Amino acid sequence: MVHSMKKNNFLTTLKEMPMSIWNSVFRNNLPHTDLGRSKTSFTNFFLHIHPVKVHKHTLKPWFTMGLGLISLFLFIILTVTGVLLMFYYVPSTTQAYDRMLDLRGSVAFGVFLRNMHRWAAHGMVAAVFLHMCRVFFTGSYKKPREFNWVIGVFLFLLTLFSSFTGYLLPWDQLAFWAITVGTAIAGYAPVVGEQMRFLLLGDTTVGQEALLRFYVLHIAVLPIVMFLLVAVHFWRIRKDGGLSRPEDADVVETPEVTAPASVPAPAMAMAAASGSSGIVVLEKKHYGIQGLVRGPFTKVGNVPENTVFSYPNLLLAELFVFVLTVAGVIIVSAYFNAPLEEPVNVMHPPNPAKAPWYFLGLQEQVSYSAFWGGVGVPAIEVLILLLVPYFDRGVKGVGKWFAKERLLANTLFMVFVVVNIILIIIGTFFRGQNWEFVSPF
Amino acid sequence: MSEKDNAHEVESSEPITRRKVLAWLTSMGILGSAIVSVFSNFVFIKPRATYGLPTRFSIGTPNDYPPGTRIALGKERVAIIREGEKMAAISITCTHLGCIVGVADTGFACPCHGSRFDQDGNVTGGPAPRPLPWYELSLAPNGELEVDKGKEITPGKWFTV
């Protein structure tokens, strides 16, 4: 009797083992109740970056256009494809270029992975810049989000520096001359310029030492710094009360509405949402654990219920942006090959020697004056960008695209954007041999 | 405990306690160590020796360069010019941003940002801030010409073969 019971217990244990294991990994099943939906964000490591509930305004596709998310997903694509490419790459001046050719001939998916890495890098520069424009034009850098804007500016600079260090690695003509010019620009910086150039190159000219240094920066130093800053960037979104939104997004429509009554079903934001989004911080509202559960007794103060559960609303929006980003990179990579120029010829710079499009504005500036175009003006621009939230302290017009109250600030920023785009267009299409002005028509 | 601390702060004259001195010394010690470690990292990544070319090198005998020669030596990044019995070694690293300038009979032109120089390396157009430097050229005892990139000379100071 006792014996059989023991056996029975053991059998039961065995029978239940798969579920025991499953349940020890996943603490709750796919939720069907609001309590469950709350718990998803709490109990899953990968989801706990999300708030339990997210403001409906945050999910409006045309407010963020998902640009922050796109940047993040491109960063992830770059990390994955980058690590894969590292399996075949050797940072040596005699081998690097051959390894690029090997990707074509003898590595499965070699060209495709390199394409993905290159196009995702271009895309990330664009996405991060557009994300910055979005944050500016919606006035989202204002108190209390000033410091997150500053981190964002640093992330933009790191993105540029990552792509800069990345394109020396194929050791082709573009690589060599772009780095020659780029580090020469660094040499123009006052006082520390020459030292900085020497530290960067590890030599007086671009060569093996420079290749190794750029490799280390590209695959270790910069990604680690970026990863940390991205983490802080996301964390602060939560701590700063989620994404910015206009004041009227929280306004009580009629004073009589004291209970949440009927919350309209979450409008599925099927295009985009933001990086990670907000716990709603309302002055009169205090969340306890019971606040997670929707019901008449949890409301404190007369506030409308303008939030929806992150699971599934935010999560699906994020998934949508993710699929779109990956699909975009894959399609572009399937149709267009990443350029690979001639192997390095120290004697003959290509004529004209052009950097990738996002540095052509800088190259155009530099063609007028090396110091002002390459160091002076960019330094001033970055300084102004960093200090923008501390100059522009008005509280009006937050969370709205091109708010009337922010006409001056938006106009100034628009001029900055347009001037840089014009410089890029001139550098791309209107400059020919010896950097002479040519007409593309 | 914290109340006590607050009480101290309220008092106008804060007594210097042993605890405060120790805390201050500890902070300074940690801060100092941090600065030293950051600095030593820079010392570490600054190479003490480089593997580049020597600044002083031989370029062959004067007979290798007949009168009228304007030739660029790519590896050494220097142009050798001979007009009659006069010779000169002019840098072909653009003074703007370090591209290699092209050598033609009429002068030098940079493909990167459009700087232009005349036959003697003086700037005639573009963003280059300085003329191309001239390097010292000398005849070694074995009859070979030597260029010393470590020694810049005044432009126009030709070496007579």
Side-chain angles (χ1 to χ4, degrees):
Chain A
M1 187 75 177
V2 175
H3 180 73
S4 77
M5 236 170 83
K6 258 190 185 166
K7 198 178 172 188
N8 204 4
N9 278 350
F10 183 67
L11 274 178
T12 320
T13 307
L14 266 187
K15 222 171 78 187
E16 289 175 353
M17 188 163 281
M19 272 327 282
S20 311
I21 294 172
W22 178 269
N23 289 333
S24 72
V25 179
F26 302 100
R27 303 207 170 132
N28 48 281
N29 298 322
L30 285 179
H32 301 290
T33 62
D34 285 351
L35 178 62
R37 289 183 192 108
S38 318
K39 276 176 148 184
T40 47
S41 301
F42 271 149
T43 58
N44 185 312
F45 174 79
F46 297 101
L47 296 182
H48 90 285
I49 190 169
H50 297 114
V52 167
K53 298 188 88 176
V54 55
H55 198 279
K56 270 188 271 178
H57 187 267
T58 295
L59 292 174
K60 288 192 169 163
W62 297 112
F63 180 65
T64 63
M65 304 202 217
L67 288 164
L69 272 186
I70 292 174
S71 309
L72 168 71
F73 294 142
L74 288 172
F75 184 61
I76 293 171
I77 293 173
L78 284 164
T79 310
V80 173
T81 53
V83 167
L84 288 171
L85 288 169
M86 277 169 67
F87 279 99
Y88 285 103
Y89 180 76
V90 183
S92 138
T93 53
T94 52
Q95 287 194 58
Y97 190 80
D98 291 340
R99 293 289 174 147
M100 291 298 117
L101 299 180
D102 284 353
L103 288 182
R104 288 184 183 161
S106 55
V107 177
F109 309 117
V111 172
F112 188 65
L113 279 174
R114 192 169 103 85
N115 291 350
M116 280 184 79
H117 197 73
R118 176 64 66 94
W119 300 135
H122 284 215
M124 189 173 161
V125 172
V128 172
F129 182 73
L130 290 174
H131 176 58
M132 186 165 83
C133 293
R134 191 286 285 177
V135 171
F136 195 96
F137 290 131
T138 56
S140 303
Y141 55 83
K142 300 198 169 213
K143 206 174 178 183
R145 301 183 177 82
E146 306 103 311
F147 191 64
N148 222 8
W149 165 269
V150 173
I151 293 172
V153 173
F154 279 117
L155 279 169
F156 176 56
L157 296 179
L158 283 166
T159 307
L160 286 179
F161 197 45
S162 292
S163 65
F164 179 67
T165 50
Y167 63 68
L168 179 62
L169 305 186
W171 203 248
D172 63 351
Q173 279 285 70
L174 168 75
F176 186 82
W177 294 104
I179 302 308
T180 300
V181 170
T183 51
I185 291 174
Y188 273 89
V191 192
V192 292
E194 273 307 315
Q195 288 285 333
M196 224 157 65
R197 190 180 118 86
F198 188 62
L199 281 186
L200 214 52
L201 293 183
D203 205 337
T204 46
T205 51
V206 178
Q208 175 60 59
E209 296 304 300
L211 180 57
L212 186 56
R213 277 164 191 243
F214 275 53
Y215 178 70
V216 172
L217 286 171
H218 186 75
I219 61 128
V221 179
L222 295 172
I224 291 171
V225 174
M226 279 179 92
F227 182 84
L228 276 174
L229 284 188
V230 167
V232 178
H233 201 56
F234 287 177
W235 183 78
R236 283 196 80 107
I237 296 174
R238 294 281 304 275
K239 297 299 160 184
D240 294 342
L243 295 200
S244 68
R245 55 187 172 275
E247 282 168 19
D248 53 20
D250 293 328
V251 161
V252 186
E253 279 154 21
T254 50
E256 289 93 292
V257 178
T258 50
S262 61
V263 176
M268 261 327 307
M270 277 319 274
S274 53
S276 73
S277 357
I279 268 186
V280 180
V281 180
L282 294 174
E283 278 177 349
K284 287 182 179 175
K285 198 169 185 178
H286 304 283
Y287 274 112
I289 189 76
Q290 76 277 23
L292 307 169
V293 186
R294 201 161 61 196
F297 56 91
T298 58
K299 287 291 151 291
V300 183
N302 298 341
V303 285
E305 179 57 274
N306 278 340
T307 57
V308 292
F309 281 99
S310 297
Y311 183 96
N313 303 293
L314 177 58
L315 215 65
L316 277 176
E318 287 177 352
L319 188 68
F320 184 79
V321 178
F322 177 71
V323 171
L324 213 66
T325 309
V326 174
V329 172
I330 285 177
I331 289 169
V332 173
S333 303
Y335 282 100
F336 302 98
N337 277 334
L340 181 67
E341 297 193 9
E342 306 278 295
V344 165
N345 182 341
V346 179
M347 207 31 218
H348 291 286
N351 194 349
K354 287 194 178 183
W357 61 269
Y358 41 85
F359 280 131
L360 280 183
L362 194 68
Q363 198 175 352
E364 176 65 20
Q365 279 176 201
V366 157
S367 75
Y368 302 111
S369 156
F371 174 76
W372 286 108
V375 180
V377 171
I380 292 168
E381 282 175 345
V382 168
L383 202 66
I384 291 177
L385 278 180
L386 288 173
L387 292 179
V388 149
Y390 305 100
F391 280 125
D392 178 22
R393 291 163 59 179
V395 290
K396 289 277 174 64
V398 174
K400 272 181 277 184
W401 276 90
F402 304 112
K404 254 185 261 148
E405 300 91 328
R406 294 179 23 80
L407 190 64
L408 178 65
N410 283 339
T411 310
L412 288 176
F413 193 75
M414 191 57 110
V415 168
F416 163 75
V417 171
V418 169
V419 165
N420 275 292
I421 290 176
I422 288 176
L423 284 172
I424 286 175
I425 290 175
I426 293 177
T428 311
F429 298 111
F430 292 87
R431 292 295 182 180
Q433 275 215 334
N434 292 334
W435 208 251
E436 272 158 4
F437 197 85
V438 292
S439 169
F441 310 111
Chain B
M1 190 63 196
S2 66
E3 277 174 15
K4 242 184 183 175
D5 286 347
N6 287 339
H8 274 299
E9 275 168 31
V10 171
E11 285 170 24
S12 54
S13 60
E14 292 176 27
I16 300 170
T17 59
R18 179 174 7 183
R19 175 170 295 188
K20 267 185 192 165
V21 171
L22 284 174
W24 190 85
L25 284 176
T26 312
S27 318
M28 286 303 128
I30 290 171
L31 187 72
S33 320
I35 291 169
V36 169
S37 356
V38 168
F39 182 74
S40 51
N41 278 310
F42 280 104
V43 173
F44 171 75
I45 63 167
K46 183 177 175 180
R48 288 188 173 167
T50 58
Y51 305 93
L53 286 167
T55 52
R56 195 182 165 90
F57 48 86
S58 172
I59 56 164
T61 62
N63 293 336
D64 297 339
Y65 306 90
T69 300
R70 292 179 71 81
I71 189 177
L73 305 180
K75 212 175 70 177
E76 294 86 358
R77 298 196 169 192
V78 68
I80 305 300
I81 289 156
R82 178 162 178 182
E83 294 173 8
E85 295 304 296
K86 296 187 299 179
M87 287 193 78
I90 302 178
S91 164
I92 54 168
T93 303
C94 183
T95 52
H96 178 227
L97 288 175
C99 284
I100 300 294
V101 294
V103 182
D105 286 345
T106 51
F108 306 88
C110 183
C112 293
H113 307 96
S115 291
R116 249 161 288 270
F117 307 86
D118 67 9
Q119 288 174 319
D120 292 346
N122 298 309
V123 183
T124 56
R130 287 186 310 279
L132 297 171
W134 288 40
Y135 295 127
E136 193 184 75
L137 200 58
S138 59
L139 207 57
N142 62 359
E144 288 193 346
L145 287 163
E146 267 186 6
V147 177
D148 190 348
K149 286 182 82 174
K151 283 184 188 156
E152 275 187 35
I153 57 172
T154 12
K157 206 176 149 197
W158 296 84
F159 172 75
T160 314
V161 181

